[in-house]
Amino acid sequence: MSKSYNAVELIRKKRQKESLSKEEIEFLIQEYTADRIPDYQMSAFLMATFLNGMNNDEASAFTKAMLYSGTVLDLSEIPGTKVDKHSTGGVGDKLSLILAPIVAACGVPVPMISGRGLGHSGGTLDKLESIPGFNVNLNLDDYRRVLAKHKMVLIGQTEEIAPADKRMYALRDVTATVECIPLIAGSIMSKKMAEGIDALVLDVKCGDGAFMKTVEDATLLAQTLVSIGESFGKQTIAFLTNMDQPLGYKIGNWLEVEESIDGLLGKGPDDIMEVTHVLAGTMIYLGKKASSIQEGIQKSKASIADGSAFAKFRDIVIEQGGDVRFIDHPENYPKSAHVSEFKADKDGYISKLDAFSFGIAGLELGAGRKKKEDRIDPTAGIVLEKKVGDRVSKGETIFRFYTNRPEALDTVHELIAKAVTISMIGPKQPQMVSHKIDKNGIMPFNL
Ligand code: URA
């Protein structure tokens, strides 16, 4: 660190829509990481950035400052093309838990560094930690060892990997500063470029339950992520995927592990499995174990059919200290103390389920955090009996809420009542994967 700046001045500059230099951005990130800029000043900077954005130079300086706030790993001693996937965040999005074992079972090493729940969206780490004993806090030697042994490893950010993002991610979660393209891009790409990968697949969610609500915004985010990845010499492919309604039938940490086990056993919901196979197939292709994405998708499906993906998941649970008895017998997992049923108020077809409200409802039930220090309840969440397109009858139970906070149930019922639309005509099923974006541009995606 060479020059020193006044943090208040830098916040004021951003507030006044002036752009910051590379050195000023580096100063903010380095000083924040070193605890010399407090959370309240960083919160003000994040909000000013949220409101006024960053130009391309600022965004690139921001990503690099976050990346070099820690170690950039070199995994070249581990054979194979290392590929990871990252999602921009959704509701019921448990894809990482299914696709990492698929891809590893197909021979491609997957070094995966994931995040916790953010805003209304769930996080892979919180889901993994709902498996009793599962340790996401491996040190970097163990990270390498487990990856070399199993071709996969699932950890959270250590103090060494993009520590600036580790702290800022938690702060953004509770300061309403998540849905901002340069902040999301810096957060995702600093982690991903640090973890030692050769190639990356991005699942850019688009719709009511995503941080990007429109195809235009999601495309812009995808293009930003792809261009950062390629600028670091990593082959990067992004997909725009639908996030208007929750993915699958289960929301909440352990509930989503349960649904992932179903997916790995060949009993997963269609929407989940469609997106999983596209992303996994692309990872297998980028990992040079298939000559096309289509062939990768076939291999992905075969790893579910022959049991190798599930076996890989069991192996990693055991290796990382998780109690595999709950993977083999999920029915034995402790239940939340309260279950409340939500019933349809008329006959018809479900035509809309606002994913964002389901995410917030999950949070109210205890599946997410409202403050940094909040503890997650692994058993809390929502089971959907019906989804968009399903026929329902008045009085029929369509959702079940699981919680240890009975005082939250009234709020959750009110929230969900506004999130469901029942119509007389059945809607069209949404296309789950709409576009592919890579260094050559954007293309509609058809299976
Ligand atoms: N995932 C991340 O890692 N960071 C974000 O900001 C959003 C999704």
Side-chain angles (χ1 to χ4, degrees), residues 207-274:
D208 293 338
F211 295 124
M212 298 295 117
K213 311 285 180 208
T214 64
V215 174
E216 292 70 33
D217 284 347
T219 303
L220 189 57
L221 175 58
Q223 287 167 329
T224 310
L225 295 167
V226 168
S227 89
I228 297 174
E230 295 285 340
S231 76
F232 279 92
K234 317 284 178 195
Q235 219 182 329
T236 308
I237 300 183
F239 292 92
L240 298 196
T241 69
N242 183 283
M243 191 24 80
D244 282 326
Q245 66 169 332
L247 267 169
Y249 289 87
K250 295 188 175 176
I251 303 164
N253 295 292
W254 171 256
L255 290 169
E256 294 193 40
V257 173
E258 261 180 13
E259 197 165 52
S260 305
I261 297 169
D262 283 346
L264 286 162
L265 291 173
K267 300 181 290 186
D270 292 348
D271 57 350
I272 299 259
M273 295 316 294
E274 180 181 338

Side-chain angles (χ1 to χ4, degrees), residues 5 53 100 136 148 171 206-207 219 262-263 318 323 339 363 369 371 388 399 408 412 418 434-435:
Y5 298 89
V136 296
L171 193 60
C206 175
T219 303
D262 283 346
I318 295 169
D323 189 339
V339 185
L363 211 140
R369 295 178 190 79
K371 295 194 294 310
V388 169
F399 315 123
V412 168
K418 294 196 198 110
S434 66
H435 293 86

